[in-house]
Amino acid sequence: MRTVGQALMEKYLAVERVRGVGLPRTRFQKWVSRHPVRLGVYIAVPLTVAGLLIPGKPGSWVVVLIAGPAIGAGYSLMAVLDRSLRSRIRQRIGLDTDD
C-alpha cells in the first residue's frame, strides 16, 4: 500500500519529467554547476565595486562590503543546491547522473 508521501513523490517526479529534467543542459548551466564558487565571486566583485564607486551616505561602504559578498554567496549556495537536487531527481527517475 502506498503512503501519501510516496504518492506525492510520484506526482512531483511526473511534473519534473514534463519540465524536462532529462533534457541536456546548456553550456552555461553546466558551467554554473561545475563552478559555483566562481559564480559567486563573479557576481560579488562587480556588485561590491559598483557599490563602493557610487557616492552615498558616510558609512554606506560597510553595508556594501557585507551585501556584495552575501549576494554572491547566495548565488553560490543556490548553484550547489540546484546541482544536488538535480542529481537526486535524475537518480530517482532512473537517468544517468553524468553531466
Side-chain angles (χ1 to χ4, degrees):
M1 186 170 153
R2 291 183 348 179
T3 64
V4 174
Q6 290 171 338
L8 287 174
M9 180 55 73
E10 288 176 10
K11 295 290 183 190
Y12 175 74
L13 292 176
V15 169
E16 289 298 310
R17 280 188 206 98
V18 170
R19 273 189 45 216
V21 171
L23 296 177
R25 297 184 303 158
T26 64
R27 281 182 21 194
F28 181 71
Q29 288 173 324
K30 288 180 184 180
W31 184 88
V32 166
S33 67
R34 291 177 183 156
H35 308 287
V37 175
R38 281 189 191 174
L39 173 71
V41 170
Y42 290 165
I43 290 173
V45 170
L47 285 175
T48 304
V49 170
L52 291 174
L53 292 177
I54 296 172
K57 297 178 184 175
S60 64
W61 60 272
V62 175
V63 174
V64 170
L65 289 178
I66 293 171
I71 292 170
Y75 273 93
S76 292
L77 178 64
M78 293 308 295
V80 169
L81 292 175
D82 177 64
R83 181 177 184 170
S84 66
L85 179 64
R86 185 176 181 92
S87 174
R88 273 189 263 145
I89 289 172
R90 288 175 65 87
Q91 287 174 351
R92 288 245 176 135
I93 291 176
L95 298 172
D96 58 325
T97 57
D98 296 333
D99 289 335

